[in-house]
Amino acid sequence: MQHSRKLFERALAVIPGGVNSPVRAFGAVGGQPPFIAEAHGARLRDVDGTDYIDYVCSWGAVILGHAAPTVVQAVQAAAARGLSYGAPTGAEVELAETLCRLVPGMAQVRLVNSGTEATMSAIRLARAATGRKLLVKFAGCYHGHADSLLVNAGSGALTFGVPSSPGVPPELAALTLSAPYNDLAAVEALFAQRGADIAAVIVEPVAGNMGCVLPQPGFLQGLRRACDAHGALLIFDEVMTGFRVALGGAQARFGVTADLVTLGKVIGGGLPVGAYGGRADLMAQMAPAGPVYQAGTLSGNPLATAAGLATLALVQQPGFYERLEATAAALTAGLQAAADAAGVPFSTVHVGGMFGFFLRDTAPRDLAEAQQADVARFGRLFRALLGEGLNFAPSAFEAGFVTAAHDAATIEATIARARRAFAAA
Ligand SMILES: *Cc1c(COP(=O)(O)O)cnc(C)c1O
């Protein structure tokens, strides 16, 4: 860890907390983060030459495996033609056509540079279209770091115990109502009290930022009904689940169509991309077609677009998601067996190429249950797993991810190492 340690020291002097996104700092699990030198397939190598099997995978953005050859070649070819033009390109049209073809209900889509931008823009559009101000979100769901969404938020905000951030004006936070995840009655109650003022309900259709929490049967359908009954819009934040839980995302998987959908992570194949889209009448309100303003100097960037197109080309191959899901199932079953052998209370969930594990007997259904996690014990297990060369998310409140590069041998090696880690921790 010598080279990583030196880099972290230098980083701490010039970058707040030494990192450019909070969870990377290992604050919740102790120890210091390895600094990464390169990554190929399912493996990361740090600057000290240590290899890890990776289950973070750029927080789900990487779905084909690191440095997937066709993606790297597409980006190299695009780079040789210029890095950014600030003018329209054919590749953007092709990516938008691909998204509109594959994502249910997506008549039009706008490309942006991050998931945060996507959710922020979708909310502006929802407020403009309904003429209403209030937003309903769920405790433990993370939708990026825009002001209105840093209320009872998940991910790093949850990991570091600041689910609502200083700097978010109380007047703005007051426009965001929150309900427990999977609690339809709470949503109905909010609509009963303030239904005429609620512009939209935004939800992670599978929550991935308080650990991985599945929607209970009927939850997403119930949200659809409640929004329709009160003239509010339903926004699925599929920045994580889009092209991760199924081709077409959670809408396709669970058979519920939202009014607006946000995307990110996988559709950029590892480059900075986000997107929001949905109903034609709503998207027609975005500038320059309509009055709702949103713009971006680098939006539709040629490198990011090339990476996205190359990635989406491969995930459309027959059997891609079946194989990904079988990999996640084999991994979680193996981790469960390793935990059982060590007598550790443990549970897992998996959906598509996304999974979660919990140091408790049943998987949580909402934030309150997720927060019962023994974080000290999680930290010990995390450090033991990392010591065995297994890179899981450095927080009890994040999901894990597999890629097409996680083959059977990789999963077997993971389980053998996990058995040692569980026994040690
Ligand atoms: C990652 C994530 C975001 C934020 O995306 P960034 O690209 O980090 O801004 C928003 N919503 C969900 C569900 C996410 O998982």
Side-chain angles (χ1 to χ4, degrees), residues 21 58-59 113-119 141-145 149 155 202-209 236-241 262-265 272-274 354 398 401:
S21 196
S58 195
W59 303 97
N113 303 291
S114 69
T116 295
E117 261 187 81
T119 55
C141 282
Y142 179 70
H143 303 292
H145 61 87
L149 292 166
S155 189
I202 186 168
V203 65
E204 288 182 70
V206 174
N209 288 287
F236 271 13
D237 180 357
E238 297 226 44
V239 171
M240 184 180 286
T241 54
T262 57
L263 298 168
K265 298 192 169 102
V273 183
M354 182 173 167
E398 300 286 355
F401 305 94

Side-chain angles (χ1 to χ4, degrees), residues 75 95 267-269 271-273 300-309:
V75 171
L95 183 53
I267 67 156
L271 268 74
V273 183
N301 173 266
L303 272 58
T305 308
L309 278 171

Side-chain angles (χ1 to χ4, degrees), residues 110-146:
R110 169 64 61 76
L111 298 177
V112 293
N113 303 291
S114 69
T116 295
E117 261 187 81
T119 55
M120 196 177 78
S121 308
I123 286 160
R124 181 176 306 143
L125 173 53
R127 284 176 165 153
T130 57
R132 299 174 177 182
K133 286 187 197 166
L134 299 182
L135 185 69
V136 174
K137 78 177 283 293
F138 294 91
C141 282
Y142 179 70
H143 303 292
H145 61 87

Side-chain angles (χ1 to χ4, degrees), residues 290-358:
V292 184
Y293 197 70
Q294 180 270 315
T297 301
L298 297 178
S299 293
N301 173 266
L303 272 58
T305 308
L309 278 171
T311 301
L312 295 184
L314 290 191
V315 304
Q316 290 179 68
Q317 289 180 332
F320 181 90
Y321 286 96
E322 286 78 358
R323 285 194 298 276
L324 202 64
E325 182 132 2
T327 301
L331 172 70
T332 49
L335 292 176
Q336 182 74 56
D340 292 348
V344 177
F346 197 75
S347 54
T348 69
V349 296
H350 67 88
V351 51
M354 182 173 167
F355 67 90
F357 63 79
F358 308 93

